Amino acid sequence: MSEYIEKEVHHLYYDYDENCARTSLKCLSHLFAFPLSDDVLSAATGMHGAGYYGAQCGLVEGPLMFIGLYGNKKGLDRNEIVKLCHDFASEFERNFSSLRCRELRPGGFSPDDPPHLCECLSVKAIQFSYEFLKDRMG
């Protein structure tokens, strides 16, 4: 599974220039055999720190969206989904020290950054998200 995530993140970043939110969603969709609509993926287009603004990281936003979608499919009520989102954010912050893109991104943002600077972080975060969701949602 971690090998799949590593290869898929690289593929989505370098072959499709996907952002971290869409990459998270696509990986989780595959791992949980839960197809996503084009509308969901379109909604995640600017969710990589709010379009490079450096706000909440797409590695958080993508899984939060997935929790809502997958939780609804599994019959969870609104309060259960909200609690899972809260717990996810809390555990993500504890493991990665922040939810903010500008703090998580190695070196912050610079015009001369190489492409997909967050690839290693993405692999770790998606692995974390998968384990969290598998443990909490089955």
Side-chain angles (χ1 to χ4, degrees):
M1 186 268 315
S2 63
E3 185 176 317
Y4 161 77
I5 293 172
E6 193 172 316
K7 286 181 178 180
E8 190 66 4
V9 167
H10 186 81
H11 169 67
L12 292 170
Y13 279 1
Y14 288 93
D15 295 338
Y16 292 97
D17 199 27
E18 289 286 11
N19 70 37
C20 51
R22 288 173 56 106
T23 296
S24 295
L25 283 165
K26 287 182 174 187
C27 287
L28 293 171
S29 168
H30 174 82
L31 291 166
F32 286 94
F34 178 70
L36 299 173
S37 72
D38 289 340
D39 289 339
V40 167
L41 293 170
S42 292
T45 297
M47 292 184 149
H48 49 298
Y52 296 117
Y53 182 73
Q56 185 166 282
C57 180
L59 296 170
V60 176
E61 293 173 321
L64 289 174
M65 287 179 65
F66 192 82
I67 289 169
L69 294 163
Y70 191 62
N72 185 61
K73 178 190 182 233
K74 301 221 18 127
L76 301 180
D77 69 33
R78 182 177 168 182
N79 291 331
E80 292 171 307
I81 291 170
V82 169
K83 171 89 168 90
L84 278 171
C85 287
H86 177 276
D87 292 350
F88 175 82
S90 176
E91 289 189 30
F92 189 98
E93 187 172 42
R94 185 174 38 241
N95 280 273
F96 295 95
S97 77
S98 181
L99 302 175
R100 296 173 59 99
C101 185
R102 69 173 57 105
E103 295 164 0
L104 292 167
R105 187 176 166 88
F109 288 91
S110 170
D112 58 337
D113 283 343
H116 307 296
L117 190 58
C118 292
E119 184 175 1
C120 288
L121 173 63
S122 298
V123 169
K124 291 175 188 168
I126 294 168
Q127 173 80 35
F128 167 84
S129 300
Y130 171 72
E131 294 296 332
F132 175 90
L133 293 169
K134 185 178 70 160
D135 290 347
R136 300 290 184 96
M137 299 175 83

